[in-house]
Each structure stands twice: as C-alpha cells, then as structure tokens.
Amino acid sequence: MTAQKITAEASGTWKLGDLPVHRLGFGAMRLTGSAAFHLGTPSDRERSLCVLRKAVELGVNHIDTAAFYFSARRSANELINTALAPYSGDLVIATKVGPFRDHSGEWGTSARPDQLRGHVEENLRQLGRDHLDLVYLRRMRQDSVAEHFGALAELRTAGLIRHLGISAAEPRHLAEALEIAPVVSVQNRYAVDRPDPVGDEVLRLCGEHGIAFVPFYAVAGEAGERGASAAHDDAVLSVARAHGVSPAQVRVAWTLHQGPHVLAIPGTGNPDHLVENVAAGALRLTGEELARLGAGRAQAG
C-alpha cells in the first residue's frame, strides 16, 4: 500500500472522553510559517488551507491548535475555520490557553485564572464555534495548577468547554487537576531523542488512568518551534533505512508505539509531508527496533 492510500484510520483509535479520534492527528503550529510564531517566513495561505483539507480527507479527525499560533500574516485558528467550517461531526479540535502573545507577536505574562475565560472566548471566535471540544491548561511555570484549572472547570460546567486537559505537567499537577475535574488528555514535550524520566512517569500515569498522552515536538525534537529536526541519531536512521521510510516517520511511529493511549500530532505546512506523517500511523516497529531506539534515547541523556 502506498503512502497516498494510507489514512489515519491505520493508526487506531482512542477516546478523548466521549470523543473517538484516530491516534494520528494534526498539529496546527506549522501552518502559519516555515517556523512557528514569528520565527520563520509566513506560509502560503492557499497551501495551508490545502493541507488542512487534505488532512481531513486522509481521515485525520483530531486537530491541535491555539489562539497564540500565529505568524506575522497567518493565524492557525483562522485557517482552520476557513478550510474546515462548517465542521464535520466527528472532527475534534483541541486548543490551549494560558500563554499570551500580543498582536506584534511578543510573549506577555501568562494568564491569571480570571483571564482564562477571555482566552477561551478568543478561540471560540476565531474557530467559529459555540463550544470547544478540548481545552488544555498550558502550565507556565506555576507551582500549582489548582486555581487555573478550577477556572476552566467552571467554564466546562457553563458549557463553553466539553473536555479538559493539562499541558507541560508533572505527576503532581495531574494529581492536582484530577481532584478538581476529569482530565482526558495530557500534552507534554516528549520525543525519541529526549530522555525524560518525569515525562515517562506522566505517560505511565496517563495509561493507568485511561488518559490520553499527546507528545508535542515529537518530530521536531530539539529544534522545537523552529521546525522538524534534521539531526537524527544512528538508531533512528538505521530503522528508517530498514523500512524504506523517512526518519520523521520513524519518530512518529515510535511515539505511537509508546502505548495505546498515546496520540501523535505531527504538524506541517507541506502537503507531501502530511501524507508521509499520516502513513507513519501504519508503520509497525519490531521489539528489537524499539529496544534499539530506546537505547539510543537513553544514550542521548
């Protein structure tokens, strides 16, 4: 089967609360430019719209975005609204609140609990929705998430939010949030070349609780917001050669192999890369290959 014919269905499914999604989703950060935020060249608008429509055609029904995903000329939320509204009933759009960027792109102080409603309403306006399917509280170095997460829980009760998640969380933050309201997903930085004992523990706890674990920068690696990594260790490269696929596809496949509750949200502004990313959901790694990748991950530390 060629990559062009593989759909997100091949990655399997998971439920975000009561919302079933394919485990291979799409991250919207790279829609706005060659790098995230104001770091790169703004994207071609029509190409970005094409990527979104192609993603849905390929069975992607989980899109991750945020109001602060914008470049000098492009807004991820506006692109999603233009390309996909009216939205299909099975499409789940997740967004994040907490961080703040002004219109010039400069990062401001993170939101106080009483400002989170404004962040939620901004996403609602930009996406053209009357409620948000999933909202993550992105922790911004605060020691406790209770007050902020509690504010989002109130918005959930009010009907503006269907499900809640947390991001950049340690085990204690997950425990704290679960005391307040159900958590359906945790979104943390996590990658094959990034040793992370705390992240490993969060992943394990999510599995125990039936909570989705959604890594970001799984493909970008250390390059982060600047885009997909061009640096791959020997283990990733050898596994890629063995399967005749790209290193990025191995990174996506490794992510999905970390547990049935793990979702992948690789992002791109390139239609060809999108097809490859979706096809990675069908890539099955052997136990020996996973052990080799795991050993490489440990050595990277």
Side-chain angles (χ1 to χ4, degrees):
M1 182 178 291
T2 66
Q4 290 285 348
K5 296 181 180 179
I6 298 175
T7 71
E9 186 177 2
S11 65
T13 60
W14 183 262
K15 278 191 174 182
L16 293 168
D18 61 344
L19 302 174
V21 296
H22 293 137
R23 294 178 61 218
L24 196 294
F26 179 79
M29 179 184 285
R30 294 291 304 284
L31 284 175
T32 65
S34 59
F37 312 128
H38 279 35
L39 297 175
T41 304
S43 63
D44 178 84
R45 177 177 170 78
E46 290 305 315
R47 190 186 195 199
S48 293
L49 295 174
C50 173
V51 166
L52 283 164
R53 291 168 180 145
K54 182 68 172 178
V56 171
E57 289 174 10
L58 290 172
V60 171
N61 58 3
H62 171 212
I63 295 177
D64 183 85
T65 186
F68 53 86
Y69 286 179
F70 64 89
S71 68
R73 296 181 184 176
R74 304 282 177 258
S75 156
N77 281 356
E78 186 276 329
L79 290 166
I80 292 168
N81 190 346
T82 299
L84 303 180
Y87 302 103
S88 63
D90 68 339
L91 180 63
V92 175
I93 299 179
T95 189
K96 292 165 288 295
V97 296
F100 172 76
R101 296 173 67 212
D102 64 24
H103 292 298
S104 70
E106 292 297 318
W107 290 99
T109 56
S110 59
R112 301 188 308 270
D114 64 310
Q115 294 175 317
L116 290 178
R117 184 181 184 109
H119 284 213
V120 167
E121 290 176 344
E122 180 181 28
N123 280 281
L124 288 169
R125 287 193 300 271
Q126 291 177 353
L127 292 167
R129 305 290 299 266
D130 61 4
H131 75 280
L132 298 174
D133 298 320
L134 168 59
V135 175
Y136 292 95
L137 171 67
R138 171 65 62 82
R139 187 177 71 91
M140 300 294 290
R141 296 177 295 279
Q142 62 262 45
D143 184 62
S144 169
V145 299
E147 194 173 358
H148 287 78
F149 194 77
L152 290 183
E154 291 177 2
L155 297 178
R156 174 176 172 269
T157 300
L160 296 182
I161 300 170
R162 190 160 180 175
H163 294 296
L164 297 174
I166 54 175
S167 179
E170 299 175 11
R172 61 193 176 93
H173 303 120
L174 175 57
E176 195 175 28
L178 285 169
E179 290 291 323
I180 297 168
V183 176
V184 303
S185 185
V186 174
Q187 187 178 116
N188 278 7
R189 186 168 187 166
Y190 198 78
V192 66
D193 56 356
R194 183 182 172 86
D196 183 2
V198 173
D200 292 340
E201 178 64 7
V202 174
L203 185 153
R204 185 188 68 79
L205 289 170
C206 284
E208 285 186 358
H209 289 279
I211 295 170
F213 183 80
V214 187
F216 64 88
Y217 295 156
V219 174
E222 291 305 312
E225 65 270 17
R226 295 186 179 277
S229 175
H232 305 286
D233 64 25
D234 291 341
V236 171
L237 292 172
S238 66
V239 173
R241 286 192 296 269
H243 287 271
V245 299
S246 71
Q249 288 175 296
V250 171
R251 296 171 74 101
V252 172
W254 177 87
T255 300
L256 292 172
H257 278 70
Q258 299 313 296
H261 64 298
V262 179
L263 311 183
I265 49 169
T268 183
N270 183 316
D272 293 333
H273 290 169
L274 169 70
V275 172
E276 291 183 356
N277 289 342
V278 172
L283 180 58
R284 302 294 181 255
L285 304 178
T286 68
E288 187 275 332
E289 287 170 335
L290 289 169
R292 197 187 324 161
L293 291 167
R297 184 169 184 259
Q299 291 169 7

